[in-house]
Amino acid sequence: MVGPVSWKAGTDETVNHLVRLIQAETVNPPGNELPVILVIKDILEQAGFPQESFKILESAPNRANLVARIKGDGSERPLLLSGHVDVVPVERERWSHDPFGGEVIDNVVWGRGALDMKGFLAMYLQTFLNLFRQKASLKRDVILAAIADEEAGFTHGSKFLVEQHRELVEAEYGLTEGGALTVYFGETKVYPIQVAEKCVCWLRGRAIGKPGHGSVPHADNAVFALAEALEKLRRAGHLPVHISPTFTKMVDTAGSQINSPLGRLTGLLHSPAVVSILLGRLKGETRNYLRALVTNTVSPTMLQAGSKVNVIPSVAEVNIVCRLVPGQTPKSVMDEIHQIVGEGIELEVVYTTDGAEFSTESPLYKLLEKRTHQLDPEGLVIPMMMPGATDASQYQKAGITMYGFTPGVLPKGISVLQMAHGHDERVPISFIETGLPVLWDVVNEFCGAGS
Ligand SMILES: [Zn+2]
């Protein structure tokens, strides 16, 4: 099957759609995704997409999702392209341009969501429209899902669809954010494809002491007990190392592509003991990133104790955000924390989501890998575990194998990691132009009849 006549025209159309998506403000909370869903409805209708082939599903007032489908012959199960339409809040005064203006300046589209992930969704939408216009014959359905509430817990978006409208999103495989875009490590370009994500686990820790008057201090002060426990956690540096299949695959794949003696040393990273020693030696960002990949992480975020200045409280509490390596459980991380702080601190689970880990041996993953190498033959392509959670964690409950795949070449200076939830989020049009043909090739090769 041939591609669209001109990627230039496809890119221009994608940019026009992206501008409209950015201008429909969907900061979550509160979300308010309906206006942007109506924009997507309008784009589909303008393209002549039949009304009976898409559905808008409201999970709450103004919280809407859209699911559209192009039918294949049914000989294989569907492919899902899923992008969330909500965005995180902005600090307007820290932006150089209106975060909801959708301005295009010097071939760069500015605005909240340009990367995370309205830009990627606009590319999925373009691929979907191309398929529709070409009347492509497909062996599997291609489903496009525009999803609410990814940034604040999935309840009104992917979770709602998986629990209440599963038949609409059921698929063998799915693509969503984020992967196969350029990340720079010095001069080395890396294209990580997301295949796993950590579980979210929020805990509350509690120290119980003896109340009393502030004028007569005693040793049994809950605030001291909690502070001491937190200091023990800080000094420990990290919880025990757990080497996941994804981490092993990640270091092996990277090692096989590095043409230096260093490449052969990556095998050492299969050993938890070696990684543990390394964590003790490394510093800064590199250490933080490695720690996030191989351990259950612990970040104390909120402290509460007392309500009167001159009264020693009997209880001091801390909220702890943990991210667990796939396969680990809230109980296992609580055991690990107790090992360090002792049993004197009570721990309870406040909120948790499942992690996810998908195979890198599937035909789709192999295709994503191959096409990403073609996107940039100089880049390293590796599977990646995401420290955070995406809609993939919900879709896996419907048995869908999900990969983070939003391909394109980014110039140095545009860092997804910094911009996705930071200030001055923007996407160069060149990214869209390099990524669209890759997405097209993947969807065609994987879904086209006779392929
Ligand atoms: Zn996102």
Side-chain angles (χ1 to χ4, degrees):
M1 200 183 306
V2 293
V5 185
S6 155
W7 287 115
K8 174 80 181 71
T11 302
D12 289 348
E13 192 178 18
T14 308
V15 170
N16 290 340
H17 293 158
L18 173 57
V19 166
R20 292 181 68 189
L21 299 183
I22 289 172
Q23 287 169 344
E25 183 186 322
T26 49
V27 169
N28 187 11
N32 190 31
E33 292 92 349
L34 183 60
V36 79
I37 291 298
L38 294 177
V39 168
I40 297 169
K41 170 179 188 276
D42 182 59
I43 291 168
L44 288 173
E45 284 174 350
Q46 295 288 328
F49 195 80
Q51 265 175 357
E52 64 275 15
S53 299
F54 70 88
K55 271 204 169 93
I56 291 177
L57 301 119
E58 265 190 270
S59 44
N62 279 324
R63 310 301 305 269
N65 303 270
L66 182 148
V67 184
R69 180 181 298 256
I70 298 173
K71 294 284 274 176
D73 65 19
S75 57
E76 307 259 358
R77 291 171 59 214
L79 172 72
L80 171 71
L81 305 175
S82 177
H84 67 84
V85 297
D86 61 323
V87 296
V88 292
V90 297
E91 292 171 69
R92 268 176 193 270
E93 62 286 359
R94 308 281 296 272
W95 281 63
S96 315
H97 297 279
D98 179 359
F100 303 105
E103 290 173 67
V104 182
I105 300 160
D106 295 335
N107 292 313
V108 174
V109 186
W110 287 68
R112 178 56 92 216
L115 286 167
D116 184 14
M117 74 168 276
K118 288 175 173 175
F120 307 142
L121 174 61
M123 291 166 71
Y124 287 166
L125 174 62
Q126 194 64 32
T127 306
F128 191 78
L129 288 175
N130 288 344
L131 275 182
F132 168 67
R133 287 170 178 151
Q134 298 224 339
K135 302 194 171 26
S137 43
L138 304 172
K139 63 185 174 194
R140 45 175 109 228
D141 295 3
V142 177
I143 304 168
L144 177 79
I147 298 294
D149 205 18
E150 194 272 345
E151 299 288 3
F154 317 112
T155 310
H156 297 290
S158 52
K159 186 168 192 282
F160 162 75
L161 290 177
V162 165
E163 286 176 0
Q164 297 187 39
H165 300 277
R166 185 171 293 198
E167 71 291 350
L168 291 179
V169 290
E170 213 144 45
E172 184 175 12
Y173 292 99
L175 302 180
T176 189
E177 66 187 340
L181 32 75
T182 333
V183 178
Y184 290 84
F185 288 92
E187 292 308 309
T188 310
K189 290 182 284 178
V190 180
Y191 292 81
I193 298 174
Q194 190 183 313
V195 301
E197 52 192 56
K198 297 181 85 177
C199 333
V200 177
C201 173
W202 296 352
L203 301 178
R204 187 172 296 122
R206 187 177 300 112
I208 309 282
K210 232 170 56 188
H213 197 277
S215 59
V216 188
H218 57 70
D220 205 4
N221 183 324
V223 176
F224 281 141
L226 187 69
E228 199 180 326
L230 292 176
E231 171 58 10
K232 282 181 183 162
L233 269 182
R234 189 190 70 79
R235 256 189 282 127
H238 62 86
L239 299 183
V241 170
H242 304 285
I243 303 293
S244 65
T246 300
F247 181 75
T248 305
K249 185 80 187 173
M250 202 171 153
V251 293
D252 289 352
T253 317
S256 69
Q257 295 171 79
I258 297 171
N259 287 328
S260 78
L262 209 63
R264 289 192 291 279
L265 293 178
T266 48
L268 292 173
L269 298 175
H270 295 190
S271 153
V274 171
V275 175
S276 223
I277 292 168
L278 205 57
L279 275 177
R281 302 262 163 92
L282 289 170
K283 289 203 163 46
E285 288 292 304
T286 317
R287 183 180 91 128
N288 294 348
Y289 190 61
L290 180 64
R291 180 171 55 191
L293 289 175
V294 297
T295 68
N296 300 327
T297 56
V298 183
S299 301
T301 54
M302 288 160 72
L303 292 165
Q304 304 96 32
S307 57
K308 284 203 171 71
V309 166
N310 58 359
V311 176
I312 296 171
S314 60
V315 178
E317 292 188 319
V318 59
N319 287 63
I320 304 175
V321 171
C322 302
R323 297 290 165 111
L324 315 186
V325 175
Q328 293 288 303
T329 63
K331 163 131 186 12
S332 51
V333 72
M334 289 195 292
D335 288 347
E336 290 178 353
I337 294 173
H338 273 140
Q339 280 286 328
I340 293 170
V341 306
E343 297 295 324
I345 302 292
E346 296 172 10
L347 290 171
E348 66 172 306
V349 179
V350 177
Y351 171 79
T352 172
T353 70
D354 295 331
E357 192 163 33
F358 303 104
S359 171
T360 52
E361 298 304 316
S362 72
L364 179 56
Y365 183 80
K366 302 253 182 249
L367 176 61
L368 302 181
E369 209 173 31
K370 180 174 104 186
R371 290 295 177 198
T372 310
H373 274 300
Q374 287 167 355
L375 170 72
D376 184 349
E378 292 167 6
L380 295 186
V381 182
I382 55 165
M384 171 190 71
M385 174 153 51
M386 167 105 161
T390 72
D391 287 317
S393 62
Q394 300 301 311
Y395 287 130
Q396 74 162 348
K397 293 180 191 158
I400 308 172
T401 296
M402 297 293 300
Y403 298 113
F405 191 73
T406 49
V409 178
L410 281 173
K412 232 179 177 177
I414 300 270
S415 160
V416 183
L417 296 174
Q418 280 167 21
M419 275 181 197
H421 288 196
H423 317 305
D424 281 349
E425 187 176 347
R426 57 195 187 273
V427 65
I429 292 176
S430 60
F431 173 84
I432 296 173
E433 198 160 8
T434 51
L436 274 181
V438 178
L439 258 185
W440 173 256
D441 285 346
V442 163
V443 174
N444 264 293
E445 194 169 332
F446 199 64
C447 304
S451 59

